[in-house]
Amino acid sequence: QKLESIYIKKLLDIISSYPTNNGYIVWQEVFDNGVKVKNDTIIHVWKGQWEWEMAKVTSSGLRAILSSPWYLNYINYGADWTKYYLADPQDFFGGSKQKELVLGGEACLWAEFVNSVNLIPRLWPRASAVAERLWSPANVRNTQEAKHRIQEMECRMIQRGYPAEPINGPGFCNVNWNA
């Protein structure tokens, strides 16, 4: 851990020598391992009990980006988009000052079981649920209302030629297959 800390510290010194208005991003291990980072560092929370991790990161005054609840490579049987839709990056144990330090989130997809054949269908339209969560107000959480919007996105993608997975199980998209 000490060797890693020395390496990361040297790397961050190099990176921070370049002018930026936004700081730089490191994965949460850098923070968890106690590497001293500058105040403009953004911590990418990508694993574990993200609610506690977001609280720790923001209580130290650092900004955060969340991806932990949005790994789309985990596939479940049935409509799994609701768990992505209901995860909110500000649903953690912290005050309003801490929540102001949350910049947002991102959907991720590890590639161990993903290739050029299943990338688009696995990603879409499930990533639409993440996108809607991230750009919607916190009080917009009704999955029954969102179900129709996500289904509409699936149909739009199919109409445009993208091989989107069925998001809610059997459904109907008005697609002219002969066009």
Side-chain angles (χ1 to χ4, degrees):
Q1 217 174 33
K2 184 172 177 147
L3 179 60
E4 176 195 33
S5 184
I6 292 168
Y7 170 77
I8 294 293
K9 181 71 175 119
K10 286 184 182 268
L11 180 63
L12 294 180
D13 286 344
I14 293 168
I15 292 169
S16 64
S17 70
Y18 292 97
T20 177
N21 294 328
N22 301 317
Y24 50 90
I25 301 173
V26 297
W27 280 7
Q28 73 185 67
E29 290 89 344
V30 172
F31 175 81
D32 291 343
N33 292 339
V35 176
K36 284 284 189 203
V37 295
K38 296 187 176 170
N39 291 338
D40 62 349
T41 303
I42 301 164
I43 307 298
H44 181 171
V45 176
W46 71 279
K47 64 179 189 167
Q49 298 294 319
W50 66 267
E51 294 93 340
W52 293 106
E53 190 72 20
M54 293 290 281
K56 281 192 326 186
V57 167
T58 57
S59 70
S60 71
L62 295 171
R63 295 174 294 162
I65 294 174
L66 179 65
S67 65
S68 182
W70 300 306
Y71 274 83
L72 304 180
N73 49 295
Y74 296 122
I75 300 294
N76 295 318
Y77 183 78
D80 62 352
W81 65 269
T82 56
K83 70 180 178 183
Y84 303 123
Y85 184 79
L86 292 173
D88 189 307
Q90 295 198 345
D91 279 349
F92 66 91
F93 313 102
S96 60
K97 291 284 185 199
Q98 285 175 261
K99 295 184 186 215
E100 289 174 11
L101 295 170
V102 177
L103 299 178
E106 68 177 2
C108 297
L109 187 83
W110 284 92
E112 293 95 333
F113 300 102
V114 177
N115 60 24
S116 62
V117 175
N118 67 351
L119 172 66
I120 300 298
R122 182 157 300 177
L123 187 59
W124 297 104
R126 295 159 78 236
S128 301
V130 178
E132 183 166 320
R133 166 52 39 231
L134 290 171
W135 69 53
S136 295
N139 65 344
V140 176
R141 299 178 70 92
N142 186 318
T143 56
Q144 287 303 310
E145 290 176 7
K147 179 179 183 178
H148 303 291
R149 292 189 298 273
I150 304 293
Q151 177 74 41
E152 183 179 350
M153 185 62 180
E154 173 192 335
C155 292
R156 284 184 186 149
M157 295 187 78
I158 291 170
Q159 289 167 346
R160 294 174 181 159
Y162 292 97
E165 284 185 350
I167 193 72
N168 292 309
F172 175 77
C173 292
N174 189 13
V175 176
N176 180 358
W177 297 105
N178 297 319

